[in-house]
Amino acid sequence: MGDSPSGQMAYGSDRGETVIDPFANAATELSEGVPALVDTLVRLPLDQERSSTSGYHIAATPCIGLQPPRTDEERETLVAAWLGLLYRYSQQSDIILHWRTDNSGGWRVMRVTDPGAETASKLVARVSEAMEVSSDPATGDTPDARPNVGLDLASEVNGDEIWDHDLRLVAALGHTPQLVYNAELLSAESVERFAENFGRLLRAVREQTQQPIEELPLLGDRELKLVKRTGPAEPEGYLPVPVHVLFERQVAKVPDSVACYHEDKQLTYRELGARSNQLAHHLMASGVEPGTAVGVCLLPSLQPLVAICSIFKAGGVYVPIDPTHPPELIAQMLEEVQPALVLTHSEL
């Protein structure tokens, strides 16, 4: 084993996992100025895995039954429903997308945080404000973002355009909305179901204005029957929300309250959020994506909680490893689970 140039310990084994010490030196400490975690890709349920060889095959599906937007107010409601749909599918607290309202203005970057907690009417109001901020391309606080979803309110489908989105809603004033997608990653059946759910959510946004987006009806009768037949029984009113989304809401509500303590040390929600954001960025840069197993082998302290939060934010799967167990047992666990990374201390 050897120390990496960054001061983090890493080694490779015949199992292929990498062991990283994210707490090796003071350089990994976060200040309060570190920006919140931004994952620019909306995690859509793709039919084909994305790879370096994935190309673009553009296809389109009309949103049957939806009336063309004819006023700015109707268009803003449509956008709110689109953001709500992306949230409901991805369960991400940050939704980032490309959007444009005219062909000459170019693409801009829109970022909406935690749309699921907003009522339908408040999300429509936020959309209205966002669309009035600027007419300059690539506005917003994530100028380097390269979103994989788009919102085109300027024109009808243009097959000659350079394409870089997995999915795009095209809804110009006076035209029936369409979903344009990359058929290399999404199937026609999946996008048709996506369009049906979008229409259902749009109607709910119009009619149930005081309901939170995450509580509005989304699935059709066929899908609901399938969920009830195959899914586990859930308490009445239960709405699954990822733990990291709940945590970020708590950070926003009580940033300076104590989130955790160990012996004579403690972290506020703001501090815990900032440290876990930095480590989550590092994990994603190291290849962690949804479903990637990440081990945590740390003695009791504040650091295991930072590590766990960061894994959830990066979309990984948390694998607890007790450092007090015999080395043989730890080796057996690593062999069985095959984590891509293990977060630990160099002295362990």
Side-chain angles (χ1 to χ4, degrees):
M1 288 182 285
D3 287 340
S4 67
S6 64
Q8 295 173 335
M9 182 214 42
Y11 73 85
S13 73
D14 56 1
R15 290 184 299 276
E17 77 270 4
T18 299
V19 178
I20 293 178
D21 181 358
F23 313 104
N25 54 46
T28 61
E29 293 297 319
L30 265 185
S31 68
E32 291 186 1
V34 174
L37 174 67
V38 177
D39 184 356
T40 59
L41 294 183
V42 176
R43 296 168 189 161
L44 299 171
L46 303 178
D47 295 296
Q48 299 292 331
E49 290 188 13
R50 190 192 315 277
S51 70
S52 58
T53 59
S54 297
Y56 286 99
H57 175 201
I58 302 173
T61 294
C63 297
I64 298 174
L66 294 190
Q67 296 297 316
R70 301 191 181 280
T71 65
D72 288 343
E73 185 177 28
E74 289 181 357
R75 187 167 61 176
E76 290 161 4
T77 302
L78 189 88
V79 174
W82 178 240
L83 292 170
L85 188 71
L86 295 174
Y87 166 78
R88 294 287 292 272
Y89 266 75
S90 70
Q91 287 294 294
Q92 290 171 250
S93 56
D94 270 302
I95 299 296
I96 300 177
L97 71 159
H98 271 145
W99 71 292
R100 66 179 179 182
T101 54
D102 61 78
N103 288 316
S104 60
W107 290 98
R108 288 166 277 177
V109 175
M110 178 187 292
R111 177 186 179 189
V112 178
T113 57
D114 206 8
E118 297 281 22
T119 63
S121 60
K122 287 184 178 180
L123 185 57
V124 172
R126 287 180 64 186
V127 166
S128 178
E129 293 174 4
M131 295 177 71
E132 293 176 357
V133 168
S134 173
S135 60
D136 296 330
T139 59
D141 53 3
T142 54
D144 297 326
R146 295 183 62 84
N148 63 323
V149 293
L151 172 65
D152 189 352
L153 304 176
S155 62
E156 295 184 274
V157 178
N158 181 359
D160 297 328
E161 185 177 3
I162 297 176
W163 189 264
D164 56 1
H165 297 145
D166 298 340
L167 184 67
R168 182 188 298 176
L169 172 64
V170 179
L173 289 176
H175 296 279
T176 300
Q178 296 187 71
L179 292 182
V180 187
Y181 61 98
N182 182 4
E184 294 282 327
L185 301 176
L186 291 163
S187 69
E189 182 181 4
S190 293
V191 177
E192 287 172 5
R193 186 163 57 248
F194 208 97
E196 291 173 2
N197 292 339
F198 175 54
R200 194 173 294 110
L201 188 61
L202 176 59
R203 287 188 289 272
V205 167
R206 291 169 175 164
E207 298 169 3
Q208 303 178 42
T209 59
Q210 300 309 306
Q211 286 290 103
I213 292 294
E214 62 189 4
E215 297 181 12
L216 294 176
L218 177 68
L219 303 181
D221 292 339
R222 182 181 61 179
E223 293 167 310
L224 286 173
K225 289 178 181 178
L226 181 62
V227 170
K228 290 179 180 178
R229 186 169 67 247
T230 61
E234 296 175 343
E236 185 176 354
Y238 172 76
L239 291 170
V241 179
V243 65
H244 66 278
V245 174
L246 296 175
F247 171 74
E248 290 297 341
R249 291 179 187 173
Q250 197 69 5
V251 172
K253 289 179 182 177
V254 288
D256 298 317
S257 296
V258 175
C260 57
Y261 64 89
H262 179 262
E263 296 178 347
D264 61 339
K265 298 181 179 180
Q266 66 182 33
L267 290 174
T268 65
Y269 280 98
R270 189 199 310 274
E271 293 168 336
L272 178 57
R275 295 189 184 194
S276 60
N277 284 342
Q278 184 197 34
L279 183 52
H281 278 295
H282 178 78
L283 292 177
M284 290 190 292
S286 300
V288 174
E289 55 187 22
T292 300
V294 180
V296 175
C297 185
L298 296 168
L299 293 169
S301 66
L302 298 175
Q303 292 164 352
L305 188 55
V306 173
I308 294 168
C309 287
S310 69
I311 292 170
F312 290 155
K313 289 182 178 185
V317 177
Y318 162 54
V319 179
I321 302 172
D322 190 337
T324 64
H325 283 166
E328 298 80 8
L329 181 58
I330 294 177
Q332 180 182 351
M333 177 181 293
L334 292 175
E335 185 68 39
E336 293 176 354
V337 178
Q338 296 280 320
L341 299 173
V342 177
L343 302 179
T344 187
H345 280 306
S346 54
E347 58 265 28
L348 294 176

